[in-house]
Amino acid sequence: MRYLESSLVISLFIRVYKKIFCYYEHSLLSRFIARLSIFWSEALTGSFFAQLLFGELDEEKSWHHSVIYKAVTFPINLLKKISNRISKPLDSSVGNSVILYTLGDILNNILYIPIRIYGLLIFTYTVTAGALYLLFDKPYTKVEMLLHGVLLIISLVCICINRSPRSLYEGSILLQLFGGFFAPNQEVKRGNTKINDKKFVLLAVFIGIFLGVISYLLPLTIFILVVGGIGAFIGILWKVEIGVFLTVAFIPILPTMMLAGLSLLTSLSMGVKLLVNKEFKLKFRLIDVFVLLFAGILIYGCIISYTAIASTKMAMIYIAFILFYFTFVNTIKTRKQLYALIVLVVFVATFVALLGIYQNYTGIATTESWVDEEMFGEITTRVYSTFDNPNVLGEYLILLIPIALAMFWSAKKWLHRFAYVGITGLLALCLIFTSSRGAWLGVMLALAIFIILRDKRLVGLGVIGVLLLPFITPDSVINRMMSIGQDSSSISRISIWSGSLNIVRDYWLSGIGIGTEAFRVVYPAYTLPGAEYALHAHNLYIQILVETGMVGFIIFGFLLYMFYKTALSSYWRTEDNFIATLLIALPAGMTGYLFQGLVDNIWYNYRMVFMFWVIIAFGVVGMRLKNDKSHSCSQ
């Protein structure tokens, strides 16, 4: 009977429900909700937010027509219009300026000026410097005497050549490889139809005398730096691409402030080009929104910082690197440029690795804090090459080893493959000599990701290699790996992480401000036993939380998500072997790099911050060129 009652109750409930649903289905409320649902469905399906999270973004249809894109590009477009309005009087003033007109004439004709003019400049320089040395009894050093002697011979040879540099290599392989790097999509154009030899002869003599006087007044090293700096300054203002190539090449070599200056000069050159060249347009992509938001967080972090001045200095360097990112992605426009820049980066990394290997075999001073002597007495040297710390060198090599491997994978000639195998081996050997455990694990993770994405057939070979590692790896390396979590460095890190997370608990929304100075001011109040002193959180993610709060951390997370989405989605859609392999190597290396960020603040070194933005830029350029078949390069 109870079951029947239950059945009758259920039956009644179903009838009432159907009746109510019938009334609702034909009601105004139902129609309103249905139309609202259709509206939001259509809006979200075609929006870049939906594409951001779930699909492949069509920037032309979604992003470039969005309100956010128009808001981001509005200031640039406004400056562009203002520049166009004042361009005519500006062109007139430049044309009436003898110095600017002459400089522009030289740069436009630099490949067409006869070589004998360059020979005359060098000859005038050596004769002027030599005459001043003899006249004022200044002793010649052996290096100066050798240099001036060689330059004198070169100048005499050049004076005998009445042909332009371009005529010597026009139509050659050299021109095909390098001639178009700094003039993409167009031929190099000559400024004047006829070279005024008399004007350039007088100019060469004047410059030669000027350099000779400067050479006499300055030490040789300073003279070379000054002349090189002036040449780089003029070259970068002439062609933005020169600045991009120089800056990326010198990241592991130059000090931070020189890198920041070089990146700002390159960005300034692009800014001038943007305002002066009516045809040049600055491109913004969806990932750039998060880059701009992160830059905004940095600026906000200076305002609320406990050490505003120190935070502002640090944020200015970060902003310089972010500006260079925008310059990079708007300058490298062809596959040939991208390929040349990757080759340059790999060969600079080879130099860095060779220096590290040299340090290992010749011996260098190792700071006591780098090695726990009680546990690792057999480790006497940890190499750091051009960097200040072996862990920083390890972070750099994590990013470069997958790129070198990608060059091997995409090379068509066996000679090139052999060269890149050797380079990859040198980078790996240098990484071993850093004794950086985080870097070792990071590169293993990066290589695993590269192999899985590039060719799954190699997974079995990789597993066999990992199983063989204990039998071929030196005991010092095995002991170093097995000590993770047991040595003094690991123990102190745990205490630092706990103390830093206590800071996050109290400053979770906005953070304490940008930089290590703010951290050093606040951290002592949260310190735990075993880690009473720390410069940073020894963890990238905790450090970002401490400095920028949850808002900055979320923006950083979206930035990384967009990078991986951009690179990997483009990888699946390109048939270009070089671009495809590069778009695997970049996120693979970034993953290993970020993995080391779990145990160290990898942004403590400014150059590694710069490398982060350069890798992001490489990924964006690779995405844009994934279907570019108009340019090819020899591999």
Side-chain angles (χ1 to χ4, degrees):
M1 192 69 178
R2 291 181 179 178
Y3 292 105
L4 181 60
E5 291 177 353
S6 176
S7 176
L8 288 173
V9 171
I10 293 174
S11 177
L12 180 62
F13 177 81
I14 293 174
R15 290 177 187 177
V16 172
Y17 173 78
K18 287 182 177 181
K19 203 71 172 178
I20 295 174
F21 183 79
C22 181
Y23 286 130
Y24 168 77
E25 193 174 23
H26 296 87
S27 66
L28 292 176
L29 179 62
S30 172
R31 295 175 192 173
F32 174 75
I33 293 176
R35 290 183 180 181
L36 186 64
S37 176
I38 293 172
F39 170 78
W40 282 111
S41 177
E42 292 177 350
L44 290 175
T45 300
S47 71
F48 69 89
F49 285 110
Q51 300 295 332
L52 164 67
L53 296 175
F54 307 112
E56 183 60 44
L57 183 68
D58 187 339
E59 292 198 352
E60 290 297 329
K61 294 181 179 180
S62 304
W63 166 237
H64 288 168
H65 293 85
S66 67
V67 176
I68 296 180
Y69 178 82
K70 294 176 181 178
V72 169
T73 57
F74 174 77
I76 300 297
N77 294 332
L78 181 62
L79 285 175
K80 191 79 172 177
K81 291 180 180 179
I82 296 173
S83 173
N84 292 339
R85 291 291 183 91
I86 65 175
S87 60
K88 290 184 178 180
L90 182 63
D91 291 341
S92 177
S93 63
V94 171
N96 294 327
S97 172
V98 176
I99 296 176
L100 292 177
Y101 177 81
T102 303
L103 179 60
D105 200 22
I106 292 173
L107 295 176
N108 288 332
N109 292 285
I110 196 167
L111 297 176
Y112 298 93
I113 298 173
I115 294 176
R116 62 185 180 86
I117 302 296
Y118 295 106
L120 179 62
L121 188 155
I122 299 172
F123 178 80
T124 307
Y125 156 70
T126 54
V127 170
T128 302
L132 290 174
Y133 272 74
L134 293 175
L135 183 62
F136 294 100
D137 293 328
K138 183 179 180 179
Y140 256 119
T141 65
K142 293 182 179 180
V143 176
E144 290 172 334
M145 185 177 296
L146 178 63
L147 176 63
H148 287 175
V150 171
L151 289 177
L152 183 61
I153 295 172
I154 292 175
S155 68
L156 294 175
V157 173
C158 290
I159 289 173
C160 299
I161 303 175
N162 192 27
R163 296 183 63 185
S164 67
R166 184 170 177 84
S167 67
L168 294 180
Y169 65 77
E170 194 162 15
S172 66
I173 297 177
L174 184 64
L175 177 62
Q176 296 175 15
L177 288 176
F178 302 105
F181 286 161
F182 303 134
N185 302 325
Q186 61 181 1
E187 291 295 327
V188 179
K189 296 182 179 180
R190 177 172 169 171
N192 290 333
T193 56
K194 183 178 180 180
I195 296 294
N196 187 340
D197 282 359
K198 184 177 180 181
K199 179 181 68 175
F200 285 110
V201 165
L202 293 175
L203 191 60
V205 172
F206 173 78
I207 295 175
I209 294 173
F210 174 76
L211 292 178
V213 174
I214 298 298
S215 176
Y216 171 78
L217 296 175
L218 298 176
L220 180 61
T221 304
I222 302 299
F223 169 74
I224 293 174
L225 290 175
V226 169
V227 173
I230 294 174
F233 179 80
I234 295 173
I236 291 171
L237 290 181
W238 175 44
K239 292 291 183 182
V240 186
E241 293 86 347
I242 295 176
V244 172
F245 273 69
L246 287 177
T247 306
V248 173
F250 284 119
I251 288 177
I253 298 173
L254 292 181
T256 298
M257 297 311 297
M258 292 184 68
L259 271 178
L262 193 58
S263 62
L264 284 175
L265 177 59
T266 306
S267 300
L268 173 64
S269 178
M270 191 193 70
V272 172
K273 181 179 179 181
L274 176 66
L275 295 177
V276 174
N277 187 348
K278 297 180 180 180
E279 298 179 356
F280 180 75
K281 295 182 179 180
L282 198 64
K283 298 288 186 179
F284 279 96
R285 295 157 189 86
L286 183 54
I287 188 176
D288 297 337
V289 173
F290 298 102
V291 176
L292 290 175
L293 288 174
F294 192 76
I297 287 294
L298 294 176
I299 296 173
Y300 177 74
C302 299
I303 298 173
I304 57 94
S305 175
Y306 278 82
T307 55
I309 296 177
S311 294
T312 301
K313 291 179 180 178
M314 185 172 181
M316 288 176 64
I317 296 176
Y318 281 9
I319 297 298
F321 295 161
I322 292 174
L323 286 174
F324 181 82
Y325 158 82
F326 286 108
T327 302
F328 185 113
V329 298
N330 283 278
T331 300
I332 305 302
K333 298 179 179 179
T334 69
R335 183 183 185 276
K336 181 162 54 176
Q337 287 179 322
L338 178 62
Y339 182 83
L341 192 52
I342 289 292
V343 170
L344 180 62
V345 167
V346 170
F347 277 95
V348 171
T350 305
F351 163 76
V352 173
L354 287 172
L355 179 58
I357 294 170
Y358 172 79
Q359 289 175 343
N360 180 75
Y361 287 108
T362 58
I364 53 172
T366 299
T367 305
E368 293 182 2
S369 60
W370 291 349
V371 179
D372 189 332
E373 294 183 355
E374 294 183 4
M375 295 190 66
F376 311 110
E378 71 278 7
I379 299 178
T380 58
T381 300
R382 293 187 64 186
V383 305
Y384 49 84
S385 188
T386 58
F387 295 92
D388 303 323
N389 187 290
N391 291 332
V392 177
L393 175 59
E395 296 158 12
Y396 171 78
L397 293 173
I398 290 174
L399 294 171
L400 268 296
I401 288 176
I403 295 177
L405 188 60
M407 295 302 291
F408 156 76
W409 204 280
S410 61
K412 296 179 180 178
K413 298 180 180 179
W414 280 105
L415 180 62
H416 294 174
R417 290 187 175 184
F418 180 78
Y420 285 121
V421 165
I423 290 173
T424 305
L426 290 174
L427 299 181
L429 183 61
C430 182
L431 180 64
I432 293 174
F433 292 152
T434 64
S435 294
S436 175
R437 294 166 294 184
W440 291 346
L441 293 174
V443 81
M444 290 173 66
L445 177 61
L447 293 178
I449 293 173
F450 181 89
I451 290 173
I452 291 171
L453 291 177
R454 181 68 276 188
D455 194 336
K456 295 181 180 179
R457 294 173 298 179
L458 295 176
V459 172
L461 186 62
V463 172
I464 294 174
V466 172
L467 294 176
L468 291 176
L469 277 179
F471 302 99
I472 61 176
T473 304
D475 292 339
S476 59
V477 175
I478 295 176
N479 293 337
R480 181 82 172 152
M481 290 292 292
M482 296 300 294
S483 67
I484 294 177
Q486 301 178 17
D487 65 327
S488 58
S489 176
S490 301
I491 296 172
S492 64
R493 271 176 166 79
I494 296 173
S495 297
I496 293 172
W497 295 341
S498 300
S500 301
L501 287 174
N502 289 334
I503 299 176
V504 175
R505 181 190 60 197
D506 292 341
Y507 298 89
W508 65 271
L509 183 61
S510 63
I512 63 173
I514 305 301
T516 55
E517 287 300 318
F519 183 88
R520 289 168 62 182
V521 169
V522 177
Y523 177 76
Y526 296 86
T527 185
L528 297 176
E532 287 75 12
Y533 177 78
L535 294 173
H536 49 80
H538 283 281
N539 181 295
L540 173 65
Y541 312 100
I542 297 177
Q543 187 72 29
I544 292 176
L545 278 169
V546 168
E547 293 184 6
T548 66
M550 187 60 68
V551 176
F553 185 79
I554 291 173
I555 292 173
F556 179 71
F558 269 107
L559 174 62
L560 290 178
Y561 169 77
M562 285 304 303
F563 166 72
Y564 282 101
K565 178 179 172 60
T566 295
L568 295 178
S569 64
S570 299
Y571 157 66
W572 294 112
R573 295 188 298 143
T574 182
E575 297 178 358
D576 188 310
N577 187 39
F578 164 65
I579 298 292
T581 310
L582 181 64
L583 289 175
I584 293 174
L586 294 172
M590 180 66 80
T591 303
Y593 170 85
L594 294 173
F595 178 82
Q596 188 169 357
L598 291 170
V599 294
D600 205 356
N601 177 20
I602 53 180
W603 278 14
Y604 182 66
N605 185 281
Y606 288 114
R607 287 185 286 178
M608 294 316 302
V609 179
F610 204 178
M611 281 299 302
F612 171 84
W613 292 110
V614 167
I615 295 298
I616 297 288
F618 270 126
V620 173
V621 172
M623 177 272 295
R624 192 182 66 243
L625 297 176
K626 61 183 178 296
N627 296 321
D628 180 22
K629 298 181 180 179
S630 60
H631 292 80
S632 60
C633 53
S634 175
Q635 296 179 34

